[in-house]
Amino acid sequence: MITLGIETSCDETAVALVEQGRVLSCEVSSSVGLHSFYGGVVPEIASRYHTEYIFSVAAKALEDAGRTARDIGLIAVTVSPGLPGSLLVGIAFARALGFALDVPVMGVDHLIGHLVSCFLKTEERPGSGERYPFVGVVLSGGHTSIYEVRSARDIDLIGSTRDDAVGEAFDKVAKLLDLGYPGGPEVERLAGKFRGDDIIDFPRALLRDKDDLDFSFSGIKTAVMYHWKTSEKGIREKERICHSFQRAVTDVIKQKIMRAVRRTGMSKVAAGGGVLNNLVLRTELTELSKTGGLDLYLSPIEYSGDNAAMIASLGEELYIMGERACVI
Ligand code: KG4
Ligand code: ZN
């Protein structure tokens, strides 16, 4: 059975085809360039973009896979969380297509999709149960969460951010330093240029209580703001701030993951979301997996940001498990 996935929860219009957990095509068109002028996603612009491009993105995904709409056996679409106007475009498109083709439409959760993205290039087939259990970590622009995942349908949230998401913190620091939007890649680039040992000791929040799995990134963002206000303006100082910020954030993520591993007794960890594009974070987590004895799965770079392959794969897995909670 071929599953067509649709993702329009934020600023990416994405459609993908998946069969037995294998990605046949994965098409993404982003409106991110239109938002950069405003320093963040403008919901109205995002929804209009989805409306304009969803059809051509779907057509391209079918063409890339060498299939036609008649080959589709299931449609999976992101139903939450996300910008309401953006979600609506994907859901309406999915329902219309499902109605026309007479195939079921499965609504899925975007964040669990980010976790499933970790397995898109592995041999662990959906529905076989061999992926589970694991500690799931979502590090994105809108969310920072830790889950105890026993199956695609049996998931408990055990930690989340109390204020900003980690990607949002990268974006806000970038905005403070006038680095453009989205900020993550640029903060990482400048951090990599820093040479020196005068690292700024930015605050690492919520580490005192050894059982606390929550995150907080608003304090570090404010600390960056005050530091930048009083420091000498220049590229070297920006590099120093980016490096120190990235190091502090990475430290916190590592510590929280190890706490979740201890709390759950699970040594398998899967981490996905746009922030997993960060190579320093990936390297640090890989190191941690060696010293901490973890069985670590990171979302492949091409599936770390928002995409529809993860949505199709999750929909397929839920369908195989007998889930029929369809949106149509
Ligand atoms: O998962 P995603 O594509 O969209 C959401 O569901 O939010 O994540 C986007 C976030 C943005 O905040 C962006 O700045 C961040 O991921 N990001 C990065 C990097 N690349 C993207 N953060 C840190 N380092 C990066 N290289
Ligand atoms: Zn996302």
Side-chain angles (χ1 to χ4, degrees):
M1 183 185 70
I2 291 179
T3 302
L4 177 127
I6 299 169
E7 157 60 40
T8 63
S9 66
C10 191
D11 55 348
E12 268 85 30
T13 311
V15 179
L17 262 67
V18 163
E19 186 174 26
Q20 281 288 304
R22 205 165 52 86
V23 182
L24 304 180
S25 66
C26 183
E27 193 62 28
V28 182
S29 180
S30 180
S31 60
V32 67
L34 303 177
H35 306 289
S36 50
F37 174 76
Y38 304 96
V41 175
V42 181
E44 177 66 16
I45 293 177
S47 335
R48 281 175 185 273
Y49 188 91
H50 292 312
T51 311
E52 202 172 330
Y53 287 96
I54 185 75
F55 188 83
S56 53
V57 169
K60 182 77 169 51
L62 284 167
E63 186 190 326
D64 287 355
R67 309 293 170 129
T68 72
R70 298 274 159 218
D71 298 321
I72 300 168
L74 173 71
I75 296 169
V77 59
T78 304
V79 290
S80 72
L83 302 168
S86 288
L87 288 168
L88 190 63
V89 178
I91 294 169
F93 184 77
R95 293 179 80 160
L97 192 60
F99 181 73
L101 298 173
D102 195 22
V103 298
V105 178
M106 175 83 70
V108 307
D109 184 286
H110 178 84
L111 300 178
I112 310 309
H114 273 304
L115 297 181
V116 166
S117 72
C118 299
F119 302 101
L120 286 173
K121 287 173 99 174
T122 68
E123 290 305 312
E124 300 180 17
R125 295 289 130 227
S128 64
E130 52 193 0
R131 292 176 176 174
Y132 305 97
F134 63 83
V135 170
V137 186
V138 175
L139 303 170
S140 77
H143 298 86
T144 305
S145 329
I146 306 185
Y147 301 90
E148 184 172 336
V149 186
R150 290 174 295 272
S151 85
R153 282 194 297 189
D154 186 6
I155 299 171
D156 283 331
L157 178 69
I158 55 173
S160 62
T161 183
R162 296 191 188 167
D163 38 59
D164 294 345
V166 58
E168 187 182 357
F170 270 91
D171 295 336
K172 286 180 175 171
V173 164
K175 198 170 182 179
L176 280 170
L177 301 179
D178 212 10
L179 301 178
Y181 174 86
E186 198 53 16
V187 169
E188 180 180 8
R189 194 180 70 78
L190 288 195
K193 292 186 157 218
F194 175 71
R195 299 285 172 271
D197 49 17
D198 50 340
I199 292 164
I200 309 153
D201 188 20
F202 284 132
R204 287 137 168 89
L206 305 182
L207 290 183
R208 216 167 294 148
D209 173 0
K210 295 271 176 270
D211 292 325
D212 195 336
L213 294 181
D214 285 344
F215 297 88
S216 167
F217 294 108
S218 67
I220 188 168
K221 173 198 67 190
T222 308
V224 168
M225 184 183 79
Y226 282 119
H227 180 91
W228 180 237
K229 259 188 185 169
T230 54
S231 62
E232 229 173 76
K233 307 286 177 289
I235 189 68
R236 204 240 168 221
E237 193 56 22
K238 285 189 184 182
E239 290 168 3
R240 182 174 169 232
I241 291 173
C242 289
H243 184 92
S244 309
F245 166 80
Q246 185 174 267
R247 179 173 283 199
V249 166
T250 305
D251 275 357
V252 172
I253 292 169
K254 281 163 51 181
Q255 295 207 40
K256 296 289 177 174
I257 288 177
M258 285 316 292
R259 285 180 186 183
V261 164
R262 277 193 292 273
R263 161 102 63 97
T264 60
M266 298 173 179
S267 58
K268 185 166 179 175
V269 175
V275 180
L276 267 301
N277 280 313
N278 189 297
L279 296 181
V280 172
L281 176 65
R282 295 182 79 89
T283 308
E284 294 264 332
L285 291 181
T286 305
E287 283 302 313
L288 180 72
S289 72
K290 289 177 192 151
T291 54
L294 308 181
D295 184 15
L296 180 69
Y297 289 73
L298 301 179
S299 50
I301 296 265
E302 65 266 44
Y303 302 124
S304 286
D306 288 349
N307 67 86
M310 64 187 196
I311 302 304
S313 187
L314 175 57
E316 180 184 51
E317 176 158 19
L318 290 169
Y319 195 79
I320 292 170
M321 291 172 77
E323 178 93 31
R324 295 294 181 268
C326 298
V327 292
I328 197 163

